[in-house]
Amino acid sequence: MKRIKRVTALMLCLGGLVAASEAAANARDQAQRMHNRLTGTPASDALLTTMANLIDTGQAREAALMATGQDGFYNVVLKNFATPWTNRERDVFAPLNDYTATVIGLVRDDRDFRQVLYADVVYTGDQGELSALGHTNVPAPSGTSNAHFEAMEAAHVPLQQVLTPRSQSALYGLPADATAGIMTSRAAAKSFFYAGTNRAMLRFTLMNHLCHDLEQLKDATRPADRIRQDITRSPGGDSRIFLNNCIACHAGMDPMAGAFAYYNWSGPEGSPAGEILYNREGQTDPATGTRVQAKSRINANNFIHGFETGDDTWLNYWREGQNAVLGWDGSLPGHGQGAKSLGQELAHSEAFATCQAEKTFRTVCLRSPASTADLSQVESMRAAFSANGHRLRDLFVDAAVYCMGD
């Protein structure tokens, strides 16, 4: 009987050791998963041990924050996170540019991420920091070339150490009130102000920062008075096509895209050269006789009674009707002039906050939210983001803690 008791005691002791070992292993596995997803790089044993200990003691957020302090979070995860937004092809392998660098800088500095659509800011490499790290061959940033950013990427420069904020108005020669965060970055201008009618800037900003494409926003009940002249009212001779299809997008899109009437891109398609153009007060386009770029009035004979763009006024007709669900900020007027005020309109919507939560969830959890628990987590992340300073890094941390057991 005594022997049975001793064996039982030994088994209980061993069972406790095994349980403790499994708990430690689980915490370490979770730490490794958290680190890999937040940095895209392997962690050192010492860092994993520290993170596992934090998880074991109920400090998973602190463990995730440690991971966001690693170079991989900036050079790999955030770079891949933002790069598809910078081009029409949504190519994750596009070179580092001022758009992506600005997103990375805003995250590193824990700035209000809504500024990404309206601040007079661009992040570039600090030449002093670059020299101190031995990267003396990185050219200075320029409004006519992306060489500065491509050189930093080629040299694997630790972006969290070298990025520094500066004003777009100083670097690109834009008036301060004509700057609008990444919408007036060189990379965005190259992709979305090139040729066309500048409607692309609105469409891709909605896709990238409100997670809605025009197809989802179609509303044929909005007034059609601001639809431009280049949109025929009888495509193929059939006015029903316009009334049932075209109007649904253009009635809301054209009034908002008017904010970009003074912008253009100077470079040819596919060329790395070029710069953002902006018609200042007193400048006129020969084709229009006003500050409005000619592209805003092309194909006027398609419907001469359509809206003729006369300035950079914009209106948000989507504040009413089905798209009121995007949660527009009631403290803003819903109209204005220029890209900066439009950026504020978009960034201060509930859809902007929800979009950031959804994107970070997919990036960290490697899947879209599907279950009731997932959707509840995304909503919790959105609410915290809106209540606590709109810091994007917090969303990455929240997602990493939620998914560390996946």
Side-chain angles (χ1 to χ4, degrees):
M1 188 68 178
K2 291 182 178 179
R3 182 180 180 184
I4 292 175
K5 289 182 178 180
R6 285 197 298 269
V7 170
T8 301
L10 179 59
M11 290 176 65
L12 289 173
C13 182
L14 289 173
L17 290 173
V18 169
S21 175
E22 288 178 350
N26 288 338
R28 191 173 182 85
D29 288 346
Q30 291 172 345
Q32 186 171 41
R33 185 177 297 112
M34 181 183 286
H35 185 276
N36 290 350
R37 292 181 179 182
L38 286 175
T39 70
T41 59
S44 67
D45 286 342
L47 179 58
L48 279 183
T49 298
T50 301
M51 290 176 63
N53 289 338
L54 287 170
I55 291 171
D56 262 341
T57 56
Q59 301 178 78
R61 283 190 59 83
E62 286 72 12
L65 282 168
M66 288 190 68
T68 64
Q70 306 302 304
D71 288 339
F73 178 62
Y74 301 94
N75 284 53
V76 179
V77 172
L78 286 180
K79 198 273 180 181
N80 293 341
F81 180 69
T83 297
W85 311 340
T86 70
N87 59 87
R88 293 181 186 235
E89 296 76 22
R90 303 176 74 80
D91 180 10
V92 70
F93 300 109
L96 181 70
N97 52 54
D98 59 342
Y99 187 140
T100 301
T102 299
V103 170
I104 294 171
L106 291 172
V107 175
R108 182 202 63 186
D109 292 346
D110 286 329
R111 291 177 63 163
D112 184 335
F113 193 68
R114 295 177 300 179
Q115 295 178 11
V116 76
L117 293 185
Y118 56 81
D120 180 9
V121 65
V122 58
Y123 277 77
T124 66
D126 181 89
Q127 296 298 131
E129 289 288 341
L130 289 166
S131 295
L133 293 171
H135 300 292
T136 57
N137 294 325
V138 174
S142 167
T144 60
S145 169
N146 195 49
H148 171 76
F149 298 97
E150 292 181 26
M152 288 200 297
E153 183 174 23
H156 305 290
V157 170
L159 296 176
Q160 70 164 321
Q161 295 185 44
V162 304
L163 287 181
T164 188
R166 59 190 302 179
S167 66
Q168 284 187 19
S169 49
L171 181 59
Y172 299 144
L174 295 170
D177 62 1
T179 60
I182 51 80
M183 291 194 293
T184 49
S185 65
R186 185 179 180 276
K190 180 176 182 290
S191 293
F192 311 129
F193 284 151
Y194 168 75
T197 60
N198 285 356
R199 292 181 176 104
M201 183 62 77
L202 176 63
R203 183 199 173 201
F204 280 90
T205 301
L206 290 169
M207 290 169 62
N208 296 327
H209 297 286
L210 273 72
C211 294
H212 282 72
D213 200 353
L214 292 172
E215 189 69 23
Q216 300 164 274
L217 300 170
K218 291 172 66 172
D219 182 2
T221 70
R222 297 301 87 213
D225 61 314
R226 302 273 300 194
I227 298 180
R228 296 184 204 166
Q229 296 171 314
D230 61 325
I231 305 301
T232 178
R233 271 45 171 191
S234 298
D238 189 347
S239 61
R240 292 172 300 178
I241 297 176
F242 171 78
L243 292 172
N244 294 326
N245 293 288
C246 305
I247 193 174
C249 282
H250 285 278
M253 170 173 57
D254 282 16
M256 298 184 83
F260 307 118
Y262 299 160
Y263 296 90
N264 208 345
W265 173 253
S266 72
E269 184 176 12
S271 171
E275 61 184 323
I276 187 171
L277 302 176
Y278 178 80
N279 283 340
R280 296 168 174 265
E281 187 73 37
Q283 288 182 302
T284 59
D285 188 294
T288 66
T290 71
R291 294 174 66 186
V292 175
Q293 299 280 354
K295 60 170 57 182
S296 291
R297 294 190 185 175
I298 63 172
N299 300 321
N301 288 331
N302 283 348
F303 187 71
I304 60 173
H305 302 295
F307 183 76
E308 183 179 280
T309 304
D311 56 24
D312 64 349
T313 298
W314 62 268
L315 300 170
N316 184 4
Y317 284 159
W318 286 332
R319 277 182 166 254
E320 297 180 0
Q322 67 186 44
N323 292 319
V325 73
L326 298 180
W328 306 102
D329 187 342
S331 69
L332 296 175
H335 58 83
Q337 287 188 289
K340 186 181 288 291
S341 59
L342 177 62
Q344 291 174 325
E345 175 81 347
L346 299 175
H348 286 248
S349 67
E350 291 180 9
F352 177 87
T354 300
C355 183
Q356 311 317 309
E358 291 176 350
K359 290 185 301 186
T360 50
F361 184 99
R362 287 195 298 269
T363 297
V364 177
C365 298
L366 307 180
R367 57 183 172 81
S368 295
S371 67
T372 301
D374 289 350
L375 296 174
S376 177
Q377 172 64 19
V378 169
E379 172 55 25
S380 175
M381 289 165 58
R382 181 210 62 78
F385 176 73
S386 298
N388 299 322
H390 301 90
R391 296 187 297 265
L392 196 70
R393 178 158 49 173
D394 286 350
L395 291 178
F396 278 92
V397 169
D398 289 343
V401 172
Y402 177 76
C403 293
M404 68 182 182
D406 288 358

